[in-house]
Amino acid sequence: MLDIKKLRENPDEISRRLALRGKTYDLQAVLALDQDRRRLQTETEKLKSERNSASKEIGRMKKAGESTDAMQESVRKTGERIAEIDAELKGLEQRQHEAMLMIPNLPHASVPAGASEADNQLVRTWGSPREFSFTPAPHWDIGARLRILDFERAARMSGAGFPLFRGAGARLERALIQFMLDLHTTQHGYTEIAPPFLCGTDAMTGTGQLPKMAEDMYQLAGEQLYLIPTAEVPVTNIYREEIISEPLPLSFVAYTPCFRREAGAAGKLTRGLNRLHQFDKVELVKIVEPAKSYEAHEQIVSHAEAVLRKLGLHYRVLELCTADISFAAAKCYDLELWAPGQNAWLEVSSCSNFEDFQARRAGIRYRNAEGRVEYVHTLNGSGVALARLYVAILENYQEADGSVVIPEVLRPYMGGLERIQPAS
RNA sequence: GGAGAGGUGGCUGAGUGGCUGAAAGCGGCAGAUUGCUAAUCUGUUGUACCGGGCAACUGGUACCCCGGGUUCGAAUCCCGGCCUCUCCGCCA
């Protein structure tokens, strides 16, 4: 959520920066609501002040044995007027709040302007595509041949878009999770969190999934609970409605499954593990002082990159343009892995700085050096998403005989297994 | 799921209609003092919003789990909800 005070002071500037996202937002409507709201608030508070002093006076008079009937009647009328104004005020507050929740974050000044994802900027590339002496297969063929992926049977029980890992394939998934958690906790200073996988409306609103993304989430029938689309939700919301008393920065890493309806996502690159309703992810979250957030942002990116480097996977880093950063983000980098079996780049990490946008929604604050209460900055980045990482491993480490070599850093987590062989 | 108890400031914990934004203690902060690594004394110490001031600050309103209600007036009374604890049931 944006700061209403800044919006009041600088509507044109804010409007201009929002327009960089490629859509226009009606700030005048919010400002009009805000003005009416403040007028009513001043009015009702003045009446309440009168009522408070009159009520105290009645108390004194009663004690003195004086008659208070006329005064009580007068205060009762004031009370009725207050109730009317408060009802109107409440409506305005709600409408203003709802309107504010629909306005996205301002892109940071450093974010390249652009009209679509085609305008995202390539920041750097690491490694190079592996040379194959044979035509590399897509992962769904590799997985089927090795009998480690079974989409058909998963679909029978859950429909399309759900993975079923088997044998060494299931262990590989688990090994990747363990490897990443260990890397981030022991090398990068993150504290491991195992959070709830279902969250309520307030948490979802706090990080920005609601109200805009309701259609993308699974909601439980008869419950005000959603399956989390990312660990960002439960982890960032740890300190919702708190003034954090622990020293900043706070760095958390969490493994969770992620659930996404992916409504309307049919089309390219949806086969196999490319796009799922359920996938595993190791997520990095940082809560930092405002002045340090851009430094922390670069750190998160480097921590996600460390995973890919240790696995020896060719990747590139993109800086998203103003049209492509997500609703809540002020700035975002994407990490994409090369998938030779599909001749495509696959997004495995999205690292965002939300500045105080989520903190303001979720009420996450701290005391700065002067002792003043201030909103924190929140960041997160996938460190990294499993399914497409898994794709890249199968497609990059495949051999002509149909086997897949296990990257060395994963072998300790695979009981020393060096290679997944086709069933004979 | 059933029965009971309870949810007050950073913490412990008083408070059953006006004198309570809230006692007391602890903790924190500031000062004083003491020669012993800490004690004693004094003062101070919540959040949000609206208004005034460049600002330090200041006037007001709201907040004692949340939402309604009663009343001139609610932390205090009534109703609904949520959560925690104990016991029982069920269960990985």
Side-chain angles (χ1 to χ4, degrees):
Chain A
M1 194 152 56
L2 299 182
D3 184 350
I4 185 67
K5 288 183 197 140
K6 296 220 172 81
L7 212 156
R8 257 180 234 151
E9 289 161 14
N10 255 326
D12 296 337
E13 160 76 2
I14 288 179
S15 189
R16 187 186 62 72
R17 286 175 68 188
L18 284 177
L20 291 169
R21 285 176 169 272
K23 278 183 70 181
T24 50
Y25 296 88
D26 186 8
L27 300 183
Q28 287 312 316
V30 183
L31 287 171
L33 284 170
D34 182 54
Q35 202 167 9
D36 290 349
R37 192 204 97 232
R38 284 187 293 157
R39 202 195 69 235
L40 286 184
Q41 181 169 340
T42 306
E43 200 179 331
T44 184
E45 285 183 358
K46 188 162 156 272
L47 290 174
K48 282 174 182 168
S49 178
E50 287 171 22
R51 178 175 67 179
N52 285 345
S53 42
S55 291
K56 278 196 177 130
E57 180 60 20
I58 288 169
R60 270 193 293 273
M61 289 164 76
K62 283 204 163 177
K63 205 169 277 177
E66 300 171 35
S67 164
T68 58
D69 291 358
M71 196 143 175
Q72 286 192 29
E73 175 60 13
S74 144
V75 177
R76 195 184 56 73
K77 281 191 176 136
T78 305
E80 281 171 7
R81 179 76 188 120
I82 288 171
E84 283 169 27
I85 299 174
D86 277 353
E88 199 181 338
L89 178 62
K90 198 174 172 186
L92 282 173
E93 278 170 351
Q94 196 177 335
R95 279 165 61 202
Q96 181 182 346
H97 185 68
E98 280 164 7
M100 290 296 288
L101 286 179
M102 298 302 282
I103 300 173
N105 203 356
L106 299 175
H108 187 256
S110 67
V111 176
S116 76
E117 62 178 282
D119 296 317
N120 293 341
Q121 305 282 308
L122 179 64
V123 177
R124 60 182 162 270
T125 302
W126 188 88
S128 53
R130 177 183 155 193
E131 307 266 336
F132 286 90
S133 58
F134 57 96
T135 306
H139 68 276
W140 49 87
D141 287 346
I142 302 168
R145 200 177 317 140
L146 295 177
R147 295 196 69 206
I148 58 173
L149 292 175
D150 188 344
F151 293 106
E152 289 75 12
R153 291 190 176 89
R156 197 190 296 158
M157 62 184 103
S158 304
F162 290 89
L164 189 155
F165 301 96
R166 176 170 176 151
R171 185 163 190 179
L172 178 59
E173 181 79 357
R174 177 160 57 90
L176 284 165
I177 294 166
Q178 296 268 66
F179 161 66
M180 289 191 273
L181 285 173
D182 284 353
L183 177 67
H184 295 309
T185 53
T186 66
Q187 306 297 306
H188 302 153
Y190 289 79
T191 301
E192 186 173 346
I193 301 288
F197 299 161
L198 280 71
C199 283
T201 311
D202 291 340
M204 290 295 179
T205 306
T207 33
Q209 278 69 30
L210 288 178
K212 273 209 87 141
M213 317 295 180
E215 299 306 306
D216 295 323
M217 292 193 292
Y218 289 101
Q219 182 175 15
L220 266 63
E223 304 261 3
Q224 283 298 314
L225 284 172
Y226 297 84
L227 273 68
I228 55 170
T230 161
E232 162 191 353
V233 177
V235 177
T236 306
N237 275 289
I238 289 174
Y239 291 97
R240 196 171 70 82
E241 301 302 338
E242 282 193 43
I243 297 169
I244 299 174
S245 54
E246 298 164 64
L248 301 180
L250 292 164
S251 301
F252 297 119
V253 58
Y255 151 72
T256 71
C258 301
F259 303 92
R260 301 186 181 178
R261 292 187 59 214
E262 300 290 353
K268 56 170 189 168
L269 289 177
T270 57
R271 258 193 101 170
L273 293 171
N274 288 339
R275 188 173 212 106
L276 298 166
H277 291 307
Q278 175 190 319
F279 61 96
D280 292 315
K281 181 155 62 66
V282 169
E283 182 77 1
L284 306 172
V285 171
K286 278 182 180 283
I287 296 175
V288 306
E289 294 169 49
K292 306 265 179 70
S293 72
Y294 279 90
E295 186 187 324
H297 193 199
E298 299 298 326
Q299 284 170 4
I300 284 194
V301 175
S302 75
H303 296 152
E305 286 186 67
V307 170
L308 308 183
R309 291 185 187 204
K310 286 189 182 296
L311 289 168
L313 295 168
H314 174 44
Y315 70 88
R316 65 181 188 181
V317 180
L318 299 176
E319 181 172 3
L320 301 196
C321 74
T322 51
D324 208 28
I325 55 175
S326 69
F327 181 80
K331 186 182 175 81
C332 180
Y333 293 105
D334 273 4
L335 269 52
E336 295 187 337
L337 281 177
W338 179 245
Q342 304 173 73
N343 252 312
W345 290 102
L346 300 179
E347 181 189 329
V348 287
S349 178
S350 196
C351 302
S352 303
N353 185 352
F354 304 96
E355 299 187 353
D356 65 3
F357 188 84
Q358 293 181 326
R360 195 176 293 280
R361 285 176 162 243
I364 309 170
R365 292 151 294 164
Y366 81 114
R367 266 178 217 286
N368 64 21
E370 291 83 52
R372 296 210 176 274
V373 174
E374 196 180 353
Y375 287 108
V376 298
H377 279 195
T378 61
L379 306 98
N380 67 50
S382 337
V384 300
L386 269 289
R388 293 175 188 160
L389 175 65
Y390 198 105
V391 167
I393 287 171
L394 292 192
E395 295 190 8
N396 280 290
Y397 282 93
Q398 61 181 304
E399 295 298 323
D401 63 359
S403 67
V404 169
V405 173
I406 303 294
E408 278 199 42
V409 290
L410 294 180
R411 290 178 193 171
Y413 297 99
M414 294 290 288
L417 188 69
E418 293 177 12
R419 185 186 289 260
I420 302 177
Q421 304 277 4
S424 47

